PDB file of all heavy atoms in Angstrom:
ATOM      1  N   LEU P 387      38.099-127.590-172.817  1.00  0.00           N
ATOM      2  CA  LEU P 387      38.651-128.475-171.734  1.00  0.00           C
ATOM      3  C   LEU P 387      38.696-127.795-170.429  1.00  0.00           C
ATOM      4  O   LEU P 387      38.382-128.423-169.398  1.00  0.00           O
ATOM      5  CB  LEU P 387      40.007-129.052-172.160  1.00  0.00           C
ATOM      6  CG  LEU P 387      40.064-130.063-173.312  1.00  0.00           C
ATOM      7  CD1 LEU P 387      41.530-130.446-173.688  1.00  0.00           C
ATOM      8  CD2 LEU P 387      39.286-131.349-172.929  1.00  0.00           C
ATOM      9  N   ARG P 402      50.988-127.988-163.878  1.00  0.00           N
ATOM     10  CA  ARG P 402      50.752-129.236-164.673  1.00  0.00           C
ATOM     11  C   ARG P 402      49.910-128.945-165.826  1.00  0.00           C
ATOM     12  O   ARG P 402      50.065-129.610-166.930  1.00  0.00           O
ATOM     13  CB  ARG P 402      50.080-130.179-163.705  1.00  0.00           C
ATOM     14  CG  ARG P 402      49.777-131.626-164.410  1.00  0.00           C
ATOM     15  CD  ARG P 402      49.344-132.641-163.407  1.00  0.00           C
ATOM     16  NE  ARG P 402      48.858-133.853-164.028  1.00  0.00           N
ATOM     17  CZ  ARG P 402      49.704-134.837-164.468  1.00  0.00           C
ATOM     18  NH1 ARG P 402      51.012-134.612-164.433  1.00  0.00           N
ATOM     19  NH2 ARG P 402      49.238-135.867-165.052  1.00  0.00           N
ATOM     20  N   LEU P 403      48.988-128.007-165.693  1.00  0.00           N
ATOM     21  CA  LEU P 403      48.141-127.620-166.884  1.00  0.00           C
ATOM     22  C   LEU P 403      48.931-127.064-168.054  1.00  0.00           C
ATOM     23  O   LEU P 403      48.481-127.213-169.161  1.00  0.00           O
ATOM     24  CB  LEU P 403      47.063-126.601-166.382  1.00  0.00           C
ATOM     25  CG  LEU P 403      46.030-127.136-165.363  1.00  0.00           C
ATOM     26  CD1 LEU P 403      45.181-125.906-164.965  1.00  0.00           C
ATOM     27  CD2 LEU P 403      45.119-128.172-166.035  1.00  0.00           C
ATOM     28  N   VAL P 408      52.649-132.993-170.642  1.00  0.00           N
ATOM     29  CA  VAL P 408      51.426-133.677-170.215  1.00  0.00           C
ATOM     30  C   VAL P 408      50.265-133.156-171.122  1.00  0.00           C
ATOM     31  O   VAL P 408      50.169-131.989-171.312  1.00  0.00           O
ATOM     32  CB  VAL P 408      51.072-133.282-168.711  1.00  0.00           C
ATOM     33  CG1 VAL P 408      49.796-133.949-168.279  1.00  0.00           C
ATOM     34  CG2 VAL P 408      52.208-133.708-167.822  1.00  0.00           C
ATOM     35  N   SER P 409      49.479-134.122-171.646  1.00  0.00           N
ATOM     36  CA  SER P 409      48.376-133.618-172.465  1.00  0.00           C
ATOM     37  C   SER P 409      47.419-132.755-171.591  1.00  0.00           C
ATOM     38  O   SER P 409      47.130-133.063-170.452  1.00  0.00           O
ATOM     39  CB  SER P 409      47.648-134.768-173.112  1.00  0.00           C
ATOM     40  OG  SER P 409      46.752-135.464-172.147  1.00  0.00           O
ATOM     41  N   LEU P 410      46.880-131.693-172.181  1.00  0.00           N
ATOM     42  CA  LEU P 410      45.954-130.876-171.437  1.00  0.00           C
ATOM     43  C   LEU P 410      44.674-131.717-170.965  1.00  0.00           C
ATOM     44  O   LEU P 410      44.247-131.563-169.867  1.00  0.00           O
ATOM     45  CB  LEU P 410      45.493-129.669-172.240  1.00  0.00           C
ATOM     46  CG  LEU P 410      44.604-128.706-171.521  1.00  0.00           C
ATOM     47  CD1 LEU P 410      45.307-128.083-170.277  1.00  0.00           C
ATOM     48  CD2 LEU P 410      44.146-127.521-172.503  1.00  0.00           C
ATOM     49  N   ARG P 411      44.252-132.563-171.805  1.00  0.00           N
ATOM     50  CA  ARG P 411      43.021-133.372-171.525  1.00  0.00           C
ATOM     51  C   ARG P 411      43.388-134.203-170.186  1.00  0.00           C
ATOM     52  O   ARG P 411      42.507-134.323-169.353  1.00  0.00           O
ATOM     53  CB  ARG P 411      42.680-134.246-172.670  1.00  0.00           C
ATOM     54  CG  ARG P 411      41.381-135.105-172.388  1.00  0.00           C
ATOM     55  CD  ARG P 411      41.096-135.907-173.633  1.00  0.00           C
ATOM     56  NE  ARG P 411      40.769-135.082-174.738  1.00  0.00           N
ATOM     57  CZ  ARG P 411      39.524-134.521-175.044  1.00  0.00           C
ATOM     58  NH1 ARG P 411      38.615-134.755-174.123  1.00  0.00           N
ATOM     59  NH2 ARG P 411      39.377-133.739-176.036  1.00  0.00           N
ATOM     60  N   GLN P 412      44.529-134.796-170.230  1.00  0.00           N
ATOM     61  CA  GLN P 412      44.909-135.642-169.080  1.00  0.00           C
ATOM     62  C   GLN P 412      45.012-134.782-167.776  1.00  0.00           C
ATOM     63  O   GLN P 412      44.553-135.178-166.683  1.00  0.00           O
ATOM     64  CB  GLN P 412      46.213-136.392-169.273  1.00  0.00           C
ATOM     65  CG  GLN P 412      46.644-137.330-168.175  1.00  0.00           C
ATOM     66  CD  GLN P 412      45.542-138.381-167.869  1.00  0.00           C
ATOM     67  OE1 GLN P 412      45.117-139.041-168.859  1.00  0.00           O
ATOM     68  NE2 GLN P 412      45.077-138.540-166.656  1.00  0.00           N
ATOM     69  N   ALA P 413      45.672-133.622-167.929  1.00  0.00           N
ATOM     70  CA  ALA P 413      45.843-132.711-166.770  1.00  0.00           C
ATOM     71  C   ALA P 413      44.441-132.237-166.146  1.00  0.00           C
ATOM     72  O   ALA P 413      44.333-132.187-165.006  1.00  0.00           O
ATOM     73  CB  ALA P 413      46.701-131.456-167.141  1.00  0.00           C
ATOM     74  N   VAL P 414      43.563-131.943-167.016  1.00  0.00           N
ATOM     75  CA  VAL P 414      42.221-131.523-166.585  1.00  0.00           C
ATOM     76  C   VAL P 414      41.434-132.767-165.954  1.00  0.00           C
ATOM     77  O   VAL P 414      40.869-132.595-164.884  1.00  0.00           O
ATOM     78  CB  VAL P 414      41.411-130.974-167.747  1.00  0.00           C
ATOM     79  CG1 VAL P 414      39.966-130.768-167.328  1.00  0.00           C
ATOM     80  CG2 VAL P 414      42.003-129.715-168.235  1.00  0.00           C
ATOM     81  N   ARG P 415      41.642-133.913-166.605  1.00  0.00           N
ATOM     82  CA  ARG P 415      40.978-135.058-165.991  1.00  0.00           C
ATOM     83  C   ARG P 415      41.506-135.371-164.641  1.00  0.00           C
ATOM     84  O   ARG P 415      40.825-135.817-163.694  1.00  0.00           O
ATOM     85  CB  ARG P 415      41.133-136.300-166.942  1.00  0.00           C
ATOM     86  CG  ARG P 415      40.459-137.556-166.497  1.00  0.00           C
ATOM     87  CD  ARG P 415      40.768-138.728-167.463  1.00  0.00           C
ATOM     88  NE  ARG P 415      40.208-138.453-168.832  1.00  0.00           N
ATOM     89  CZ  ARG P 415      40.884-138.382-169.929  1.00  0.00           C
ATOM     90  NH1 ARG P 415      42.241-138.529-169.829  1.00  0.00           N
ATOM     91  NH2 ARG P 415      40.318-138.227-171.073  1.00  0.00           N
ATOM     92  N   ASP P 416      42.824-135.223-164.429  1.00  0.00           N
ATOM     93  CA  ASP P 416      43.376-135.518-163.131  1.00  0.00           C
ATOM     94  C   ASP P 416      42.985-134.510-162.099  1.00  0.00           C
ATOM     95  O   ASP P 416      42.828-134.889-160.910  1.00  0.00           O
ATOM     96  CB  ASP P 416      44.904-135.421-163.234  1.00  0.00           C
ATOM     97  CG  ASP P 416      45.528-136.545-164.046  1.00  0.00           C
ATOM     98  OD1 ASP P 416      44.782-137.576-164.344  1.00  0.00           O
ATOM     99  OD2 ASP P 416      46.647-136.422-164.454  1.00  0.00           O
ATOM    100  N   ALA P 417      42.610-133.236-162.517  1.00  0.00           N
ATOM    101  CA  ALA P 417      42.253-132.301-161.469  1.00  0.00           C
ATOM    102  C   ALA P 417      40.675-132.428-161.127  1.00  0.00           C
ATOM    103  O   ALA P 417      40.311-132.083-160.002  1.00  0.00           O
ATOM    104  CB  ALA P 417      42.443-130.894-162.127  1.00  0.00           C
ATOM    105  N   LEU P 418      39.870-132.947-162.025  1.00  0.00           N
ATOM    106  CA  LEU P 418      38.491-132.972-161.742  1.00  0.00           C
ATOM    107  C   LEU P 418      38.011-133.785-160.589  1.00  0.00           C
ATOM    108  O   LEU P 418      37.018-133.421-159.948  1.00  0.00           O
ATOM    109  CB  LEU P 418      37.779-133.394-163.076  1.00  0.00           C
ATOM    110  CG  LEU P 418      37.684-132.361-164.139  1.00  0.00           C
ATOM    111  CD1 LEU P 418      37.007-132.926-165.416  1.00  0.00           C
ATOM    112  CD2 LEU P 418      36.865-131.128-163.705  1.00  0.00           C
TER     113      LEU P 418
END
Side-chain angles (χ1 to χ4, degrees):
L387 289 173
R402 182 168 172 80
L403 293 174
V408 180
S409 76
L410 183 60
R411 183 177 299 276
Q412 185 60 52
V414 172
R415 185 182 293 119
D416 292 343
L418 284 177

